[in-house]
Amino acid sequence: MRLLHLPSSVSHLSERAINQELKDSQREQSLYVLRLLVAAAVVLGLALALGLRYYSLQIESHQHYVAASEENRVHVRPVAPIRGLIYDRNGELLADNRPSFILRIVVERTDDLDGLLAQLRQMVDISDQQVAQFKKRLQRRHPYEAIALRYNLSERERGILAVDAHRLPGVEVAAQVVRYYPQKERLAHVLGYVSRISEGDLRGRDEQRYRGTDVIGKRGLEYHYEDILLGGVGSENVETNSRGRVMRVLERNDPQPGKNLQLFLDSRLQQVALDALQGERGSVVALDTTTGGVLAMVSAPGYDSNLFVTGISHKDYGELRDSLDKPLLNRTLQGTYPPASTVKPAYGLAMLKSGVATANTEVWAPGHFRLPNIDHEYRCWERRGHGHVNMRSAIQQSCDIYFYKLAYQMGIDQMAPMGRSVGLGQPTGIDMSGEKVGVMPSREWKQGARGVSWYHGDTINASIGQGFTAATPLQLAVMAMRLANRGESRPPKLVQSVGGEPIDLEPPMQHIVADSAHWDVVQGAMESVIHTLKGTANAVAKGLQYRMAGKTGTAQVVSIAQGEKYDAEILTKRTLPHALFIGYAPADDPKIAVAVIIENGEKSSRSAKVARQVMDAWLLEYSDQPLVTDDGQ
């Protein structure tokens, strides 16, 4: 075999290639080891950093992140208390709580509130006014508090929202109780109403008590007894999912319900009084002469309190606000009227006490009266005059001239204290806010209020309850009660028990001190107003099963110039005189005192008939101890 011999140059070249190949492998191996070490160092560093971070999260900051996680999953929500109920004296429910479904939003659970609102408005009926009110309430909310947007959702609307719940982050449909007034207009001014809370409503109040609560008492008893009716707020810990939906309740502290109120008022008598007004504007107040309890308190016209509970519409409120009949005005406490001749028994008592007159003092009453050296003529309602009258017949026939003459002799300085004693120009002390005190004029009052001196003509006007004198129907009822009780009375009260516990009645106070003989004259005269042929309210005596005492009054709305005659035919309805009456019964043992005002009612006998109907209903039917009359009825 022949061997192939390569040239020496080729042999040396191959050896060099082999050596070069061996050198490259060693270099690569070294580079690989270096890279491995670097990678290991990086991994070790990252692992160390991760371990340190893990230690920080799990050990050092464990409690912080557990709390944060729990806060994202568990929320504390306020639970509104159930508002206290209101009952009449017989246990009839006057202010109730009824279930209602509401649409509310937790704003922290949505990224685009305006977009969500627009989406909701396409699904259910939501007005601009409701959106505006919702945004106002957002300003005083607490974190993660659900804010109501729409009340009284229908079953159809609840179904729509349930189907699309997955597309509505932060939206809740919840059951809630809302206030309901079964008697609506009949007791609107007594009960008032609750309505949505505004910023001003919480000034001076503990805001924590209203967490989770949308409404607050605005008028009437709802306002005056707000702290008692409200109750105490509760709380609950709820677990939510990532969309803010409540998964379960973890813990609950029940709210404390508000206390119930029971009134002296009889809702049946309230209806009798309202019906007796026959649609006229006016007021009727009936008081229990023993306790001062308010048996009926009507201000007509009224309004449906339920309109305000979840927010009244601009249209409905505008109609109430702009009505000429002023249905929002509580005439009983805030309407002030000239008391007219209803004050005559009180001033007659002042005349007897001062010695200006006795029971037998006679005055010639020709139908007109002039002050010395003054041409102005003060006239009597009876233009022909009443002839010779004494205290009894002057009250019985409501003779103005008698009171003009004797008031001029007595002066306002002795009239004003008696007026205040019967309650004129004084707060009555009733358990309701917003009462006006009216005016019992005096020298000091006129100087302070008008900046001018008192004149004799002012005394003449005051003697028949005109001029500056102004009183509320409630004050007139208090006057009737004090005249019935010979000067003694308690403050009028609407509420007789709170939470089942009777309230403590104030002891009777003797407001008027007078001789028994003087009381006999005045009370006898008031009885003759009803039970004699010349009495100004004798028309109500027919068929009367008890003795009744009272006094009529007619308050002018427009003045009549000198020499002109009163002509009802040329006066519009709203310029006719107001018709007034105060009275009590039974005359020998008073149980009820009543005051009635019919605005522009013209004839005071109309008010007397209203009072008769109220007294009949109470004394013969609704009283705890109805009268047993001679015929056994």
Side-chain angles (χ1 to χ4, degrees), residues 25-26 114 129 131 175 233-234 374 422 463 598:
S25 297
Q26 290 176 353
D114 289 335
Q129 181 182 353
V131 172
V233 66
I374 295 179
V422 294
S463 70
I598 301 178

Side-chain angles (χ1 to χ4, degrees), residues 381-382 384 386 392-393 395-398 524-543 547-548 552 605:
W381 69 270
E382 178 55 81
R384 295 173 300 178
H386 291 96
R392 179 187 176 94
S393 57
I395 293 176
Q396 173 197 79
Q397 301 172 52
S398 199
M526 293 181 70
E527 196 171 343
S528 71
V529 169
I530 311 296
H531 296 281
T532 62
L533 290 177
K534 291 186 177 182
T536 54
N538 67 80
V540 303
K542 184 177 180 180
R547 300 288 289 184
M548 177 179 169
T552 56
S605 58

Side-chain angles (χ1 to χ4, degrees), residues 30-46:
S30 298
L31 183 60
Y32 174 77
V33 171
L34 177 62
R35 290 175 176 173
L36 183 63
L37 291 174
V38 171
V42 170
V43 171
L44 183 61
L46 291 174

Side-chain angles (χ1 to χ4, degrees), residues 22-264:
L22 291 174
K23 289 179 181 180
D24 289 342
S25 297
Q26 290 176 353
R27 183 170 176 271
E28 288 178 359
Q29 185 175 2
S30 298
L31 183 60
Y32 174 77
V33 171
L34 177 62
R35 290 175 176 173
L36 183 63
L37 291 174
V38 171
V42 170
V43 171
L44 183 61
L46 291 174
L48 181 61
L50 184 60
L52 292 174
R53 182 59 176 163
Y54 184 80
Y55 175 83
S56 175
L57 292 174
Q58 296 296 322
I59 306 300
E60 290 184 345
S61 303
H62 174 74
Q63 290 300 326
H64 169 74
Y65 289 105
V66 166
S69 176
E70 192 70 11
E71 184 176 322
N72 189 51
R73 182 180 69 89
V74 178
H75 300 286
V76 179
R77 300 196 311 186
V79 180
I82 300 298
R83 195 170 181 86
L85 306 176
I86 303 178
Y87 299 89
D88 83 340
R89 67 185 298 117
N90 301 307
E92 183 171 352
L93 189 57
L94 307 179
D96 193 8
N97 297 314
R98 290 192 171 183
S100 175
F101 286 91
I102 63 171
L103 168 62
R104 58 191 191 184
I105 300 175
V106 181
V107 295
E108 285 82 2
R109 296 299 181 185
T110 180
D111 296 328
D112 182 7
L113 179 60
D114 289 335
L116 178 62
L117 290 173
Q119 187 178 3
L120 287 171
R121 296 187 72 173
Q122 293 178 352
M123 301 168 66
V124 297
D125 183 20
I126 300 173
S127 67
D128 292 339
Q129 181 182 353
Q130 289 168 333
V131 172
Q133 291 173 339
F134 168 78
K135 290 185 174 181
K136 282 185 179 180
R137 288 193 292 274
L138 288 182
Q139 299 174 5
R140 62 175 185 84
R141 70 181 179 86
H142 296 271
Y144 290 94
E145 182 177 355
I147 304 301
L149 173 62
R150 243 295 303 275
Y151 292 82
N152 300 322
L153 293 172
S154 67
E155 185 175 351
R156 178 178 176 275
E157 289 172 325
R158 298 200 306 270
I160 292 173
L161 293 170
V163 169
D164 292 320
H166 64 284
R167 298 192 299 111
L168 304 171
V171 173
E172 298 179 358
V173 174
Q176 188 181 61
V177 294
V178 297
R179 205 59 153 174
Y180 178 70
Y181 303 100
Q183 306 218 11
K184 300 180 180 179
E185 294 90 345
R186 190 190 310 179
L187 288 166
H189 292 291
V190 175
L191 302 176
Y193 55 81
V194 299
S195 192
R196 295 178 182 176
I197 300 173
S198 66
E199 292 182 17
D201 292 329
L202 294 181
R203 291 194 187 104
R205 295 183 182 272
D206 181 3
E207 293 191 25
Q208 292 299 317
R209 292 192 65 191
Y210 289 88
R211 290 198 61 189
T213 301
D214 295 324
V215 298
I216 191 172
K218 298 275 184 148
R219 289 193 179 189
L221 292 176
E222 293 278 23
Y223 174 82
H224 190 82
Y225 283 92
E226 169 66 19
D227 290 339
I228 290 174
L229 291 167
L230 174 61
V233 66
S235 64
E236 61 182 10
N237 294 343
V238 296
E239 184 178 14
T240 60
N241 61 16
S242 60
R243 300 182 64 84
R245 306 290 181 190
V246 176
M247 305 302 294
R248 58 175 175 154
V249 177
L250 302 176
E251 184 181 1
R252 179 182 173 92
N253 295 316
D254 290 329
Q256 180 182 354
K259 293 182 179 179
N260 298 336
L261 303 180
Q262 185 165 23
L263 310 185
F264 285 103

